Amino acid sequence: MKKYFISGAMLAGLMSLAACSNDEGVVADNNGAEQQFTITLASSGDRATRAAADRTLESEAADQSIEKVTLVVRSQDDGEDKNKVVYIHTLDNWNGTATDDTNGHGKKLTFTIPKADKLGAGSYVVTAVGYNEGNYTLSLPNKGDVVDKNITATTPTGAEAKEVFAGEQKFNVTADKKIEGTDASKPIQSVDVTLHRQVAGAYGYFTSIPAKIGENEVASIRMVSRSKNTVLTFGSFNSSFTTTDAHVMYMVNGSVPATKTAKFLNGDEANVLFSAKIADWFPGGDESKDGVYDKKDTNWTNPYTTGSYLKGSVFASNFIVPFSATQGKSTLELQLLDATGNVLYAWPVKLDASNDQIGKMGETASADLFGAGTAMGFAETADVFSLFRNHIYSIGIHKHGTNNPDTPEPGTDQPTDLSKIQNVVIRVNDNWEALHHMSIDE
C-alpha cells in the first residue's frame, strides 16, 4: 500500500501573510517561511517493471510505478466559492526525481509552492492522484473552477485498467497562517494525505492444465466475469486503512459497463478479466504426451520479460476497475478454450468459505464530493461477490515470484493443479486492502 504525505510546510508558509488578497485565498507573503508539499509514496516494494513506468500485476506484491502526481486544493469555506480550486500542480517524472524515503519503504519528493499560490486562512481539502500518462482520461479541474463532482478516470476504449492511486485530506489554516493540528513551532508543517490503490487486481496461476478435452486441444485459459467497468471515481476514500484489519472497506468505485466480449458456458454474456495462450508458455504443445501441460514438458518458457514462475506453470493477470455483483448470478467462471474460441470446459469460481468478504454489504462510491457511499442492498456470498477497490483476487498463490523454478513453495508460490479439478483460491494481501481466496467447483 502506498502513502503520500503532503507536507503543510508549504501550506504553513502559505498561510502566513497577515495581509490577504481576496483573490482565491492567496496571500502575498509568507513571513519568511518556506512553504512546501512533501509527497511520500510508501510501499513494501518500489520497482518499475516497464520502461513506460507501468507496473504489470505479476504477483501480489504491493509495488508501485507511477510517473505523475497531481495535487488539487479546494476551498471549503461556506459560500459561493466553496469547492473552488485555489491551487493545482502536477509533479512530473515521479520515478526519475523522487528519492528513497528514509524508512526504506518508498520514495518521496518535496517542492516549494510559488508565492503567488500561497493559501490564506480558511478551510481546505487537498486531493492527490498518482498515475501514468495515457492510461486514463482524468477529469481534473482547472484553477478557479467551482466543482461538485469527484475526479474520475476513464480507461481508453478497449484498454485494460492500469494501476492508479488517489486520496484526500481536509485541513484548516489559522489566522496566523498555521496548519491547524500541527506543531506550530516547526518552520515546515505537514498535511498528510494517504493515497490508496483505486483498482482491484485479479490473477490466475496454474499447472497441470489439461492438453485436451475429449478430442479437442486446449489452446487458452481465461477468467470471465458477469460485469466489467471502465470509469473510476476517486471518492469515499478509506483514510483509516493501514493494514488488513477492521478498517477494510468493501467499496466499488467503478461505473459505466464495458462492452461484453465473451460468454459463460451457459451462454450468458460475459467480460474477460484475464487470459493466457497455452502456446506462449508451451511452444510446440504437450511435449511429454502425458495429457497435461506441466513441468515434464521441457519446452516450457516464461514469455514475460519480468516476473519468475515455476516451470510448467501458466500465469495471467490484470488490474480491474471494480464492479458490483449481480444479485442471483455467479460472478466468475474459469474456462478452457480451443483455438477457435469455443469453451471446452468451465469451472464456477467462488470465494473460500472462510473469506471475510462473505456476508459483507458492499458500497458504491458517490460521484458527488464527500457524498456517502450507497449500500448495494444484498450481502456478498461465495458465488455472488463483487470485486472491490484495492482488493486482489487470485487463483493459486504467487506472492513475490520464485527463487527456485523447480519446486513449489506452499503459501508463497504455488500454482493450482487443474488436472485435479480442485478448488482454486482467490486472496488479498495486507499491502493491498484485502486478499481473497477463491476456489473452482468440480
Side-chain angles (χ1 to χ4, degrees), residues 20-41:
C20 292
S21 93
N22 59 7
D23 179 21
E24 301 177 354
V26 172
V27 296
D29 174 47
N30 68 347
N31 292 336
E34 185 179 72
Q35 301 173 356
Q36 297 176 332
F37 282 121
T38 299
I39 300 178
T40 303
L41 182 58

Side-chain angles (χ1 to χ4, degrees), residues 54 131-138 152-164 199 228-232 255-259 261 319 321:
D54 281 337
Y131 60 99
N132 288 340
E133 195 73 46
N135 286 349
Y136 293 95
T137 300
L138 295 174
T152 61
T154 302
T155 57
T157 301
E160 298 292 345
K162 301 293 185 182
E163 210 164 29
V164 62
V199 291
K228 191 174 185 179
N229 284 327
T230 62
V231 177
L232 290 160
S255 62
V256 186
T259 302
T261 57
F319 293 110
V321 176

Side-chain angles (χ1 to χ4, degrees), residues 402-413:
T402 178
N403 294 320
N404 184 352
D406 294 302
T407 305
E409 301 172 43
T412 299
D413 191 86

Side-chain angles (χ1 to χ4, degrees), residues 1-6 38-47 61-66 69 94 98-109 163 165 193-197 241-242 390 430-432:
M1 185 184 72
K2 318 345 180 187
K3 290 185 179 179
Y4 293 85
F5 301 101
I6 299 185
T38 299
I39 300 178
T40 303
L41 182 58
S43 172
S44 63
D46 187 34
R47 59 195 172 89
D63 299 327
Q64 61 78 26
S65 184
I66 58 174
V69 176
W94 170 271
T99 59
D100 290 338
D101 187 20
T102 54
N103 65 13
H105 293 294
K107 290 180 178 291
K108 67 179 180 180
L109 184 65
E163 210 164 29
F165 302 88
V193 56
T194 300
L195 272 66
H196 292 160
R197 187 182 290 101
F241 168 69
T242 55
N390 203 15
D430 64 1
N431 284 303
W432 291 69

Side-chain angles (χ1 to χ4, degrees), residues 57 90 146 219 245 303 411 432 437:
L57 182 62
T90 296
V146 176
D245 57 19
W432 291 69
H437 298 265

